[in-house]
Amino acid sequence: MFAGETVRFVRMKKIIEVVRYGENDIRFHTDIDPLQDPDTIHQTVTELAMAMMTTLWGGNEQAVLAMIRALAIADLGVSVNRRQMVGFLDDASGMLEASIRDARKAFEQSGGKVMVFGPGVAPPKSRS
């Protein structure tokens, strides 16, 4: 730390924690209340997409994605109107995909370079 520099502490928030305490005893926890701040859902979706595109390289992304999909399947399985929920998820994820595609295209047109790595493939270590 340099003289005159201020330290900013960021309060971490638990997006979702799912813990299995034993057989048939799974509990869910979160620090986020979308009823108090409805915009938090859109912001969280955007941040999650960025994290999934950039920070899950070469680690446990396959296990994490498998558990996210297990949660989604369980949610849809107990949904009151599964078809409506699948349609909503399809529409919402399609809009996000288009937005990400447009942002990537604009980034590349401005001279940026995007490298895509498959699951389990770490990006090369570089100094830049």
Side-chain angles (χ1 to χ4, degrees):
M1 192 161 132
F2 298 101
E5 201 174 24
T6 58
V7 178
R8 184 175 152 231
F9 292 99
V10 177
R11 182 184 179 290
M12 293 190 303
K13 288 188 175 183
K14 186 182 309 174
I15 294 172
I16 188 166
E17 176 183 55
V18 183
V19 179
R20 179 183 291 172
Y21 287 92
E23 194 171 323
N24 299 317
D25 187 6
I26 296 177
R27 301 179 195 175
F28 302 86
H29 306 281
T30 184
D31 294 337
I32 299 170
D33 185 356
L35 297 177
Q36 293 292 328
D37 182 10
D39 291 335
T40 194
I41 296 298
H42 179 71
Q43 179 183 355
T44 302
V45 167
T46 303
E47 290 171 356
L48 287 169
M50 291 303 296
M52 293 171 102
M53 290 188 307
T54 59
T55 61
L56 289 177
W57 292 331
N60 63 350
E61 71 276 354
Q62 288 178 321
V64 169
L65 293 172
M67 291 298 99
I68 290 170
R69 290 177 180 134
L71 285 166
I73 291 166
D75 179 44
L76 288 170
V78 298
S79 179
V80 173
N81 189 335
R82 190 183 66 78
R83 290 193 190 283
Q84 183 180 17
M85 182 60 75
V86 168
F88 166 75
L89 293 172
D90 186 42
D91 292 345
S93 63
M95 288 187 287
L96 179 61
E97 177 191 27
S99 176
I100 290 169
R101 184 180 55 245
D102 292 346
R104 179 178 175 176
K105 187 176 179 180
F107 178 70
E108 289 173 333
Q109 287 176 342
S110 69
K113 183 174 180 174
V114 175
M115 296 178 70
V116 178
F117 300 93
V121 178
K125 303 241 185 269
S126 67
R127 295 178 183 224
S128 59

